[in-house]
Amino acid sequence: MTLLAALFNWRPQTPFYYGWLVLGITALGAFAATALAGVVLGGVQSFILEDTNWSRSAIGLSASAGVWLSGVFAPFAGKLADRYGPRFLMPIGALALGACMVFIGGVDSIWQFFVAAVLGRAISQPFLIGVVPRTLAVNFFSRRRNTALAITAVFRPISGALIIPLFSAIALAAGWREAFRYLGWFSILLALPMVLLLRRRPEDMGLLPDGTKPGDDSAASGSHPAGPGHGRRPVPSAGTEQRSWTAREALRTRGFWLVSGTVFLAVTGSSGLGFSLVPYLHDEAGLSVPQAAGALSLTTFLALSSLGWGVIADHVQPRYCMVVSLAVSTVAALSLFLVDSVVEAYLFALVWGLFHSSLEVMVYMVLASYYGRNSYGAIAGALRPFEAGGLGLGQLVGPVIYDLTGSYSSLIVTAAACLGLAAGLIFWAKAPQPPALGEEQAGVGGNVRQGTP
């Protein structure tokens, strides 16, 4: 029992702040989870279709259903993240995801594929990509919080860019089923280092967010830079940090619902335009399919710009960054009416990729700056259904509009309207007044009502 306890409490002594190692582990989790993301299923579905008689719509529906169900799971995942942290939640997500992908490797009917793909995506998205990793980033970083959140945002697009060729290589050599099996076993094996290395908060190891040393001036101001600590030493009183909100308090504020409306409108508009961008550029702008796909690939690659937005948001309020990003995205969407050449299409892709790709992560920066970290998981989880709903709706809007009107013109106008309205909502969504410090305070797990973030 002593040996087991020693193993459970062991952690490597890193020459850098431990939070960066934690982010590295979450990157591996995001890599595994991206294997069932819509972008990957869309990119590798040809291998599945060539070997089966399944329909494209059934595979596409599995991706959409997985997104919607992840929105149902996310609020519960957020509450669990606040109370228990990622140390067990992320390994559970990795094991469930791995089991689903190994099962997919042996399926012989579309309904079996559908059930496993939907469950795998629904569980892994909040546990390995969304709310739980973001809660971890908020807990481990304060002064560099926006940068850490931006880093978590680029894990998925980078993983997608790596998994599609990796999956294709395995599928060509051994078949698509083996590709899912290999990725599934990778996810299962990943659970062990997650259990050993992840922690709920830096304070559990005698550290402070950002690695701040006790007594640093930055600690008193609520910012926490610096290097790793050693051993288990007491941490300073948290009373010096900014006030955190409980989830119940946050959901009673106008700001939360304005941010939720912003997310729903922004994701609906951007995903609707992105999902139909290739057919629009091909059918109505005169580009070849490879040229149109290249423009879409450029916008996906420029999701890396989230890192730059994270740095900017460390110096400018994330809400103002969102207003600018949404306003530029609105103008960019309308500029599609003027696109009729490859050069213009790639200019659009450049602007669109630099600005719209930052929206997903910046809204979670807004939540952290408004409500602190004690109940961040529950608050972020409550936002996820709006995000998932907008994503699913956006993917349907384009095809429906085209079937009804025979063109994508109405889609462009609709997407621009959604983005413009979202810019107005987030501009209006000012930071709420913090709850009074004299309210009930209790230290129950991670979902506490305290005067500290």
Side-chain angles (χ1 to χ4, degrees):
M1 191 66 177
T2 303
L3 178 62
L4 183 61
L7 181 64
F8 186 76
N9 291 322
W10 172 85
R11 69 176 176 89
Q13 296 296 320
T14 59
F16 48 83
Y17 174 49
Y18 196 82
W20 299 116
L21 175 62
V22 166
L23 285 187
I25 298 297
T26 65
L28 295 176
F31 176 85
T34 304
L36 286 181
V39 63
V40 172
L41 287 180
V44 305
Q45 63 178 314
S46 297
F47 295 105
I48 302 173
L49 296 171
E50 289 174 0
D51 187 51
T52 66
N53 293 320
W54 303 343
S55 69
R56 294 176 185 271
S57 59
I59 295 176
L61 182 60
S62 70
S64 295
V67 169
W68 286 327
L69 192 57
S70 73
V72 176
F73 285 173
F76 302 102
K79 292 180 180 179
L80 292 173
D82 289 330
R83 179 173 290 273
Y84 301 109
R87 192 174 190 182
F88 297 106
L89 295 181
M90 291 185 70
I92 288 172
L95 290 172
L97 170 66
C100 287
M101 289 198 289
V102 171
F103 178 80
I104 287 174
V107 300
D108 54 14
S109 65
I110 185 60
W111 74 264
Q112 293 174 330
F113 176 90
F114 183 91
V115 170
V118 169
L119 286 178
R121 177 73 188 278
I123 296 172
S124 65
Q125 202 287 331
F127 279 48
L128 299 177
I129 296 178
V131 61
V132 175
R134 287 175 182 142
T135 302
L136 182 149
V138 167
N139 284 340
F140 270 82
F141 295 87
S142 179
R143 184 174 62 85
R144 298 173 180 172
R145 179 175 292 168
N146 292 332
T147 300
L149 284 171
I151 290 173
T152 65
V154 304
F155 291 158
R156 181 168 54 183
I158 292 175
S159 297
L162 294 174
I163 286 180
I164 291 177
L166 174 63
F167 188 104
S168 300
I170 298 174
L172 288 171
W176 65 270
R177 287 183 169 84
E178 286 302 313
F180 274 118
R181 286 194 184 102
Y182 287 143
L183 289 169
W185 282 113
F186 170 80
S187 184
I188 290 171
L189 294 175
L190 186 59
L192 179 59
M194 285 180 169
V195 171
L196 291 177
L197 299 176
L198 293 180
R199 298 293 190 274
R200 176 172 169 265
R201 289 185 174 184
E203 289 89 340
D204 297 342
M205 300 175 289
L207 305 177
L208 289 172
D210 293 305
T212 297
K213 304 283 188 181
D216 281 358
D217 292 340
S218 57
S221 63
S223 300
H224 310 285
H230 302 281
R232 288 182 173 274
R233 53 175 195 258
V235 299
S237 170
T240 59
E241 300 178 0
Q242 75 180 83
R243 174 73 162 94
S244 268
W245 299 62
T246 66
R248 180 176 297 181
E249 290 167 344
L251 266 62
R252 290 174 178 171
T253 65
R254 183 181 68 177
F256 175 83
W257 296 105
L258 290 174
V259 171
S260 299
T262 299
V263 168
F264 179 78
L265 289 171
V267 174
T268 298
S270 62
S271 65
L273 206 58
F275 190 79
S276 298
L277 182 61
V278 171
Y280 172 80
L281 292 176
H282 175 61
D283 296 345
E284 302 193 23
L287 275 66
S288 68
V289 172
Q291 290 170 338
L296 179 61
S297 297
L298 178 59
T299 66
T300 303
F301 173 78
L302 288 174
L304 293 174
S305 65
S306 294
L307 295 175
W309 283 105
V311 174
I312 294 172
D314 281 334
H315 300 87
V316 181
Q317 286 189 28
R319 179 169 67 94
Y320 294 148
C321 294
M322 285 193 69
V323 171
V324 172
S325 183
L326 284 164
V328 174
S329 297
T330 302
V331 175
L334 292 173
S335 74
L336 274 173
F337 284 120
L338 304 176
V339 172
D340 59 5
S341 70
V342 174
V343 173
E344 292 172 348
Y346 277 74
L347 284 175
F348 161 81
L350 178 65
V351 176
W352 180 255
L354 287 174
F355 285 87
H356 104 280
S357 61
S358 65
L359 297 173
E360 178 182 354
V361 62
M362 281 198 293
V363 72
Y364 290 98
M365 298 177 188
V366 171
L367 289 186
S369 66
Y370 282 9
Y371 302 112
R373 69 170 182 161
N374 279 352
S375 296
Y376 181 83
I379 298 168
L383 189 70
R384 174 61 185 173
F386 296 91
E387 185 181 19
L391 181 59
L393 179 61
Q395 293 174 348
L396 295 175
V397 165
V400 169
I401 287 179
Y402 186 85
D403 289 342
L404 292 176
T405 66
S407 78
Y408 290 103
S409 298
S410 297
L411 169 63
I412 294 174
V413 173
T414 301
C418 287
L419 293 166
L421 287 172
L425 287 183
I426 196 63
F427 178 78
W428 193 25
K430 297 180 180 180
Q433 292 295 319
L437 285 172
E439 294 182 3
E440 175 190 359
Q441 301 182 9
V444 181
N447 191 14
V448 295
R449 179 177 290 193
Q450 295 180 349
T452 63

